[in-house]
C-alpha cells in the first residue's frame, strides 16, 4: 500500500517535459549521471526513488553494462514511459519511499539515487526517507542525492525579488519548508551514513537561463498544487502570485531566478568523521 499522494507538483505532459529539462540541467552541471567515484561492476543493482519520467534511469542504462539492473520507483506511475520502451535491464514500479520498503528489497542495491525531493517532504522530515534508503542499500552501498536549495537562491531583478518574498510567505503558510536542504549532510550522518562529498557550486553562466526557465515552470506547478491540495482558503493570494509569475515568465530572459544545486555522495556503513 502506498501513502496518500500529496505530491504538490504536476504530472501532465508539460510537467514531464520540465522534469526532463531539469535532468539536462543537472547533467550539464555535474558532467555525469552516476558519480565517478562509484565503481561500476558487472552485476550491480541501482535504484532511483521518485523516478518520475525515469529519464535518469534511461540515460544511465545506455552507459552501463547490460548486466547492471536499474529499478525506478515512484508513488505514481503517471509519468512512466510505456513499458515496451523500457530497456531490458530497467524496471519501473510503485513504492512509498517514506515507509519501510518490502522485505525482498532489503539490502539489494549498490546505489540509490535521489533528486529534488525538496517539495515532497512535509515538516522537513528526512529521517523516514533516509531510513528507507538504508534498508535498500547493501553494506557500503552509495546514496547519490542531488537537491535544490530553495533558501540560498540567486535572484536578480526587482520583480523577481518581490515575487520571491511573496511566494516564500505562501510556502511558510502551507508548510513548505526548505531549510533542511542545507542541513542534509548532517542529517545523513545522524542516520549513520559516511558523507564522502558535498558540492554546492552555483550554476555556471551558460546554465543560469535553463535553471530560471525550469524553476519558473516548477513554481507554476507548485502554486497549482497548493490550490489543489493544501489551501482552499488562500485562493485569492495564490491567484495573485500566479498572475505575478506569468508576468515574470514573459520577461524571463531579463531576470535570474535560480535555486542552488547541492550534490551529496554518501556511503552506508559505520560513521566515519570527515
Amino acid at each position: 500500500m502506498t501513502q496518500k499522494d500529496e505530491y504538490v507538483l504536476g504530472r501532465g505532459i508539460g510537467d514531464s517535459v520540465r522534469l526532463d529539462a531539469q535532468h539536462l540541467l543537472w547533467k550539464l552541471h555535474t558532467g555525469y549521471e552516476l558519480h565517478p567515484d562509484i565503481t561500476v561492476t558487472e552485476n550491480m543493482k541501482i535504484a532511483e526513488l521518485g523516478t518520475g519520467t525515469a529519464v535518469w534511469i534511461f540515460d544511465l542504462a545506455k552507459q552501463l553494462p547490460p548486466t547492471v539492473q536499474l529499478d525506478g520507483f515512484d508513488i505514481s506511475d503517471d509519468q512512466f514511459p510505456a513499458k515496451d520502451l523500457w530497456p531490458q535491464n530497467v524496471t519501473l514500479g510503485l513504492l512509498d519511499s517514506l515507509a519501510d520498503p518490502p522485505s525482498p528489497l532489503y539490502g539489494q542495491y549498490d546505489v540509490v539515487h535521489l533528486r529534488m525531493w525538496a517539495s515532497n517532504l512535509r515538516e522537513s522530515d528526512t529521517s523516514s526517507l533516509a531510513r528507507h534508503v538504508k534498508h535498500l542499500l547493501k553494506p557500503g552501498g552509495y546514496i547519490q542525492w542531488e537537491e535544490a536549495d530553495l533558501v540560498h537562491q540567486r535572484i536578480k531583478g526587482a520583480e523577481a525579488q518581490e515575487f520571491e518574498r511573496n511566494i516564500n510567505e505562501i510556502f511558510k503558510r502551507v508548510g513548505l519548508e526548505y531549510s533542511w536542504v542545507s542541513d542534509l549532510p548532517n542529517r545523513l550522518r545522524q542516520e549513520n551514513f559516511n558523507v564522502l562529498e558535498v558540492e554546492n557550486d552555483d550554476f555556471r553562466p551558460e546554465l543560469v537561463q535553463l535553471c530560471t526557465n525550469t524553476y519558473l515552470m516548477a513554481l507554476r506547478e507548485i502554486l497549482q498544487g497548493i490550490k489543489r491540495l493544501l489551501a482552499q482558503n488562500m485562493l485569492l493570494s495564490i491567484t495573485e502570485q500566479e498572475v505575478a509569475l506569468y508576468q515574470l515568465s514573459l520577461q524571463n530572459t531579463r531576470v535570474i531566478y535560480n535555486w542552488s544545486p547541492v550534490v551529496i555522495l554518501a556511503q552506508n556503513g559505520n560513521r566515519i568523521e570527515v
Side-chain angles (χ1 to χ4, degrees), residues 6-23:
E6 295 184 346
Y7 185 59
V8 75
L9 290 132
R11 293 194 176 99
I13 291 177
D15 312 316
S16 295
V17 170
R18 190 262 309 164
L19 278 180
D20 293 345
Q22 284 179 337
H23 172 69

Side-chain angles (χ1 to χ4, degrees), residues 111-123:
V111 181
V112 174
H113 177 250
L114 299 97
R115 175 179 286 171
M116 299 189 76
W117 277 75
S119 293
N120 299 337
L121 298 176
R122 296 288 179 264
E123 299 178 354

Side-chain angles (χ1 to χ4, degrees), residues 52-206:
T53 65
V55 62
W56 183 85
I57 288 276
F58 278 40
D59 201 357
L60 183 59
K62 66 179 184 288
Q63 305 172 33
L64 299 179
T67 54
V68 174
Q69 177 65 38
L70 298 105
D71 298 331
F73 297 109
D74 206 299
I75 199 171
S76 168
D77 60 4
D78 287 351
Q79 292 174 290
F80 289 179
K83 192 169 185 178
D84 59 356
L85 302 177
W86 300 0
Q88 289 188 350
N89 59 337
V90 167
T91 64
L92 304 177
L94 296 175
L95 187 66
D96 178 2
S97 297
L98 301 181
D100 288 344
S103 56
L105 294 181
Y106 275 50
Q108 291 297 303
Y109 293 98
D110 300 279
V111 181
V112 174
H113 177 250
L114 299 97
R115 175 179 286 171
M116 299 189 76
W117 277 75
S119 293
N120 299 337
L121 298 176
R122 296 288 179 264
E123 299 178 354
S124 307
D125 179 17
T126 55
S127 58
S128 298
L129 181 56
R131 285 195 300 270
H132 184 101
V133 173
K134 283 191 71 69
H135 288 318
L136 294 178
L137 283 173
K138 299 175 181 178
Y142 293 92
I143 177 173
Q144 177 182 323
W145 193 329
E146 297 130 16
E147 194 52 77
D149 183 345
L150 275 62
V151 173
H152 302 96
Q153 303 191 115
R154 183 184 175 199
I155 296 179
K156 183 178 180 181
E159 295 88 349
Q161 291 169 350
E162 180 180 3
F163 175 78
E164 183 197 26
R165 288 191 294 270
N166 291 333
I167 200 169
N168 282 344
E169 181 59 31
I170 288 178
F171 289 164
K172 181 178 179 181
R173 291 171 64 187
V174 300
L176 286 173
E177 204 279 321
Y178 299 109
S179 64
W180 62 265
V181 175
S182 297
D183 191 44
L184 185 54
N186 290 328
R187 294 182 179 214
L188 290 177
R189 291 186 183 101
Q190 291 169 7
E191 297 295 337
N192 204 25
F193 283 96
N194 172 25
V195 176
L196 304 174
E197 183 176 282
V198 179
E199 298 179 358
N200 53 8
D201 298 329
D202 288 340
F203 288 115
R204 299 185 301 277
E206 66 269 24

Side-chain angles (χ1 to χ4, degrees), residues 153 155 157-171 215-216 218-220 222-223 237-249 257:
Q153 303 191 115
I155 296 179
E159 295 88 349
Q161 291 169 350
E162 180 180 3
F163 175 78
E164 183 197 26
R165 288 191 294 270
N166 291 333
I167 200 169
N168 282 344
E169 181 59 31
I170 288 178
F171 289 164
Y215 193 12
L216 295 182
L219 288 169
R220 180 180 63 184
I222 290 173
L223 285 172
S237 59
I238 293 172
T239 300
E240 290 173 348
Q241 294 315 306
E242 285 180 308
V243 172
L245 178 59
Y246 172 74
Q247 293 171 341
L248 196 62
S249 68
Y257 208 105

